[in-house]
Amino acid sequence: MDSVSPNPSLIGTTLREHVLAGMQAAPGATGEFTSLLNHVSLAVRIINSRVRAAGLAGLLGYTGETNVQGEQVQKLDVYANEVLLNVLTRSGHCGVIASEENDEPIYSNHGGKYVVLFDPLDGSSNIDTNVSIGTIFAVLRRREPTPIVDDALRPGREIVAAGYALYGPSTVFVLSTGHGVHAFTLDPNVGEFFLSMPNIRCPKKGNSYSVNEGNCARWAPEIRKWSEHMKTEDKAGGYPYGHRYVGSLVADAHRTLMKGGIFAYPEDSKSPTGKLRLLYEANPMAYLFEQAGGAATTGKHRILDVQPTNVHQRVPLVLGSKDDVAVYKEFVEGKR
Ligand code: AMP
Ligand code: AHG
Ligand code: MN
Ligand code: MN
């Protein structure tokens, strides 16, 4: 009987296999990082199963509480948060866990060498209208002798893995561990993520811009000038750009990562330091965009260089194609 060589096209590469290959390529790896990522994948698949049936499982709507962000909490926010806290705590790999939904980080002295920061359910305002939502996470290695908040308050350039799940027409898991950005699509019948978009590269320039134009009256003049520039005919520059805005960061960021262009949530008179949170929205997205050859800035500074001072601090966030982000920065710097 000759040896059977597997037909590579028969079964795609699973997320589990992709992560295992990463471990085999990491000298001296103990497997904890791999196990942590597999636990994140499990949590996301559990959240996905409820997102898909939220309307039937009585998981739509509000809990009646408000969170540390001052936002009304949705039942699915709470559910997703509890799943992630439960699964990550049981993994034993997390010395520090910080969530958008928890006032304070959770610390564990059982030797977990990683910090996990997450937004359990991103795009909550879209839950009840069946628009795409997601989960965002970032992983860092602990630095302190015992788990304390300083382990979480580190610039995003120290991230060792980041990614998101997008619960859209299909459920996609996008991940980088520092070796490019790869997307996996969930086969709901199998319950596994299969590699669907290896080595995602953000195009150098795009043709759409994504910003909540409803905030324009609150923007600084230079941001209004940028927005006008994106809408003004200039055939040579490829303008006007199309406007796309879902209102779920994960959906707007994923489209921008795949197709290029620019996403911006600038600071404004109502949110003077921006709306999006640095640790578990801006940083993971910035890490992914830079890994895919894109750019991420506050408008003035590289997102990944911002030194956090508070777990829930907000930051202006601009993500996208290198050329489009460069144009945005020229407006902010008054050069245009
Ligand atoms: P570990 O000993 O499993 O905690 O891994 C130590 C370090 O090796 C991690 O912090 C990563 O930087 C790297 N590493 C380990 N496993 C993997 C993997 N599956 N994919 C990518 N990098 C990995
Ligand atoms: P979350 O649901 O986790 O609070 O995040 C919502 C964020 C983000 O997903 C999106 O980019 C932004 O809120 C949209 O804000 P506006 O509705 O003010 O445009
Ligand atoms: Mn969010
Ligand atoms: Mn959220």
Side-chain angles (χ1 to χ4, degrees), residues 83-153:
V83 166
L84 274 157
L85 291 176
N86 186 302
V87 170
L88 291 177
T89 304
R90 280 158 50 168
S91 79
H93 303 308
C94 306
V96 179
I97 298 174
S99 164
E100 176 196 33
E101 299 302 330
N102 290 68
D103 299 10
E104 300 299 329
I106 290 117
Y107 304 106
S108 154
N109 279 313
H110 303 305
K113 69 182 181 184
Y114 290 103
V115 180
V116 182
L117 312 167
F118 59 79
D119 176 357
L121 210 292
D122 174 68
S124 307
S125 64
N126 283 325
I127 293 174
D128 290 1
T129 55
N130 206 35
V131 171
S132 297
I133 51 181
T135 298
I136 311 169
F137 69 94
V139 180
L140 298 96
R141 293 188 64 159
R142 286 199 324 96
R143 286 272 180 275
E144 305 298 326
T146 57
I148 57 170
V149 70
D150 295 15
D151 276 318
L153 299 178

Side-chain angles (χ1 to χ4, degrees), residues 174-294:
V174 177
L175 173 71
S176 178
T177 59
H179 308 283
V181 180
H182 312 281
F184 302 82
T185 300
L186 182 68
D187 179 335
N189 300 315
V190 176
E192 284 283 3
F193 281 107
F194 289 88
L195 184 63
S196 49
M197 289 166 271
N199 293 311
I200 296 172
R201 303 302 292 166
C202 184
K204 193 164 173 294
K205 187 178 188 301
N207 58 18
S208 78
Y209 79 109
S210 185
V211 70
N212 184 341
E213 287 278 0
N215 294 333
C216 72
R218 300 189 190 121
W219 292 335
E222 57 272 18
I223 307 287
R224 280 208 289 276
K225 272 182 79 178
W226 165 76
S227 162
E228 281 311 307
H229 170 76
M230 301 309 280
K231 296 181 272 196
T232 304
E233 185 94 26
D234 163 10
K235 285 198 171 44
Y239 300 104
Y241 274 22
H243 181 254
R244 296 285 182 278
Y245 193 74
V246 176
S248 296
L249 171 62
V250 186
D252 287 318
H254 186 68
R255 182 196 58 252
T256 307
L257 184 71
M258 304 294 293
K259 298 198 163 182
I262 187 167
F263 167 87
Y265 206 111
E267 68 280 13
D268 63 33
S269 54
K270 180 182 164 202
S271 317
T273 58
K275 171 181 182 181
L276 300 175
R277 280 59 52 125
L278 174 62
L279 288 196
Y280 41 78
E281 290 177 315
N283 269 344
M285 286 302 179
Y287 178 82
L288 291 163
F289 269 79
E290 289 201 5
Q291 279 289 319

